[in-house]
Amino acid sequence: MFDQIYTLLSHNDIFTPETLIHYWHGFVTTVQLVFLCLALGLAFSIPLALMRASRNMWISGPIWVYTYVFRGTPLLVQLYIIYYGSAQIPGIQHTFLWDFLRSPFYPALIAFTLNTVAYQTEIIRGAIVATPHGEIEAARAYGMSWAKYTWRIVLPSALRRGLQAYSNEVIFMLHASAIASAVTIIDLTGAAYDIYAKFYAPFDAFLFVAAIYLIVSFSIIYGFKRLERRLLAHLRPVGS
Amino acid sequence: MKKILIALSCALAVLTSAVHAKDWKTVRIAYDVPYKPFEWKDPNGQFTGFEPDLARAVCKEIHAKCEFIVQSWDGIIPGLLARKYDAIMSSMSITPERAKKVLFSKPYYNTPSAWFTRDGVNINPADKAEMKGKIVGVQRGTTQDTYVTQNLADVVQIKRYTTADDLVLDLQGQRTDIVLLDYPVGQQTLLKKGGFHVVGKPVKLGEGVGVAFRKHDKDLAEKFNKALDKLKNDGTYDKIMKKYFDYSIKM
């Protein structure tokens, strides 16, 4: 089996072991980038969603402006502003910030995180607002404080309600990460670009990378289906 | 009988298209602009530069009408193969990998490549110890990319850019330490802008620049070769070259 694969590879012009290693490095970069920005995104978006759901204009207003701006502009434009724009600020090369901004990875991570936080905030906020009023009234009747009923009642049910929309956002983020290659990151798409430019074989290079994205997407979808079965078990018909 | 008929009609179709292809009344030529001083669009949208001028002279020689088409570098060979145009005259260096996909004319110029860096930085690119750990910028898929990848990949970090503009921005923004660029391009973009200088010795890379055609358009390539030979000998080539360069790129 292994020998067969090896002979197949050694007879192939494009998919040589070196090329596959290049793809592998790209895959690792993509997974790192997407995972980190989603983890950071979740951490920031829950408190922001609570603020966004507040009835106080001074609390929800600024968050609304932020989500409006970042959902209303293309991610590529945000990435260009943060990557190429940051290098144009006079004197930034001599500050500690430059340690992060010099490599393309952190500017991309910042842009992706800011973008995904905006979307995730709106998803979670929607789920929070949809909490049945009776549940909150009942919680209040038991004498729970805002913090207590938010933690015990609102968030657990809101996060469950937001799960399906959230899984879409994860898939979108994976696909959006392809634009990281525009700022010289060698992610999966960047690796495909390199191989395309080296062999002038657009079909081979991009079809292969499309297949990898497809596999990753389906793995994520499968994972969320399992999670939904567990977390939304109370919504399933009895006996299924 | 039916099979023979089909075979005959196919053969006829091939023959007629071959006859049609030999009739080069118009030639569509692709450029990746701007790439000063080889090709760019002047404020009126006219193609200007060494290569469009040379192409006009060639077309006059072979009694064909030239049509110029803009195509970005990344897709320039696929576009040729997809028949979006008939030739590429956009400073394409002749390489074995490219020769697998396209048919090259004889080379019509060759320029040196040079190392550029910011003022205040001094690196000797020939010294591997000094280059260790440096970040080198190149344009993806160029001969400079191949050279750096083959010779320095073990000591330096290579950053590949799609456009020269992004490459210049990142050298200026101190994200790269040194770049390897075609000398005329570096002269036009970096040296003219100021704040940059050449380090080390220029390197001569590759077999020169040729016009690229589809593999089966041998007749068109032959016409171009003959016309280019004539222009090189009758002084037209020199006249066009002197308009844009103060050094010789003839070959």
Side-chain angles (χ1 to χ4, degrees), chain A residues 13 22 80 82-84 86-88 93-94 98 101-104 107 181-186 190 193-194 196-202, chain B residues 73-78 81 95 97-98 100-101 118 135 140-141 145 157-162 166-167 169-170 172-177:
Chain A
D13 284 342
H22 200 62
Y80 271 153
I82 292 172
Y83 181 78
Y84 286 115
S86 66
Q88 304 287 312
Q93 281 86 356
H94 306 294
W98 192 241
L101 293 176
R102 186 175 188 198
S103 78
S181 59
V183 292
T184 73
I185 293 179
I186 311 292
Y193 253 122
D194 282 349
Y196 160 42
K198 192 170 172 195
F199 299 103
Y200 306 105
Chain B
W73 186 253
D74 269 349
I76 207 161
I77 288 183
L81 303 181
T95 65
E97 286 99 347
R98 282 177 189 151
K100 275 186 201 159
K101 295 265 170 186
R118 286 181 304 280
I135 304 172
R140 182 184 276 129
D145 182 2
Q157 191 190 332
I158 305 167
K159 279 185 94 160
R160 297 182 178 87
Y161 293 86
T162 307
D166 293 347
L167 181 135
L169 266 181
D170 262 4
Q172 189 184 22
Q174 306 189 14
R175 279 206 178 93
T176 52
D177 299 305

Side-chain angles (χ1 to χ4, degrees), chain A residues 79-215:
Chain A
L79 182 60
Y80 271 153
I81 291 173
I82 292 172
Y83 181 78
Y84 286 115
S86 66
Q88 304 287 312
I89 301 169
I92 192 156
Q93 281 86 356
H94 306 294
T95 65
F96 70 98
L97 285 173
W98 192 241
D99 293 338
F100 295 102
L101 293 176
R102 186 175 188 198
S103 78
F105 188 83
Y106 289 106
L109 185 62
I110 293 168
F112 287 4
T113 305
L114 283 172
N115 187 270
T116 194
V117 165
Y119 279 97
Q120 290 183 26
T121 300
E122 287 298 324
I123 290 170
I124 298 171
R125 177 229 161 214
I128 289 173
V129 170
T131 308
H133 199 65
E135 290 183 15
I136 295 170
E137 261 178 17
R140 278 209 185 121
Y142 271 98
M144 288 187 203
S145 65
W146 178 87
K148 211 159 221 170
Y149 74 72
T150 298
W151 179 248
R152 282 185 181 170
I153 311 292
V154 175
L155 279 183
S157 71
L159 292 181
R160 280 182 167 85
R161 261 194 301 279
L163 193 62
Q164 277 140 336
Y166 184 77
S167 71
N168 276 339
E169 171 60 18
V170 172
I171 302 281
F172 279 140
M173 213 51 231
L174 172 72
H175 294 172
S177 75
I179 64 165
S181 59
V183 292
T184 73
I185 293 179
I186 311 292
D187 67 333
L188 266 174
T189 308
Y193 253 122
D194 282 349
I195 286 146
Y196 160 42
K198 192 170 172 195
F199 299 103
Y200 306 105
F203 274 127
D204 314 57
F206 287 119
L207 280 178
F208 186 73
V209 88
I212 300 177
Y213 276 117
L214 212 56
I215 292 168

Side-chain angles (χ1 to χ4, degrees), chain B residues 91-106:
Chain B
S91 296
M92 182 172 278
S93 307
I94 302 169
T95 65
E97 286 99 347
R98 282 177 189 151
K100 275 186 201 159
K101 295 265 170 186
V102 299
L103 175 68
F104 278 111
S105 73
K106 284 187 212 157

Side-chain angles (χ1 to χ4, degrees), chain B residues 192-235:
Chain B
K192 239 184 196 172
K193 198 176 167 121
F196 303 95
H197 65 281
V198 176
V199 284
K201 275 190 189 139
V203 258
K204 276 262 182 186
L205 299 177
E207 304 165 46
V209 164
V211 191
F213 306 95
R214 282 180 293 273
K215 283 264 185 191
H216 57 262
D217 288 342
K218 293 198 175 71
D219 51 337
L220 184 60
E222 206 37 57
K223 279 185 172 192
F224 263 68
N225 275 337
K226 266 190 200 148
L228 283 169
D229 275 343
K230 182 153 181 275
L231 296 174
K232 280 180 196 169
N233 291 327
D234 72 1

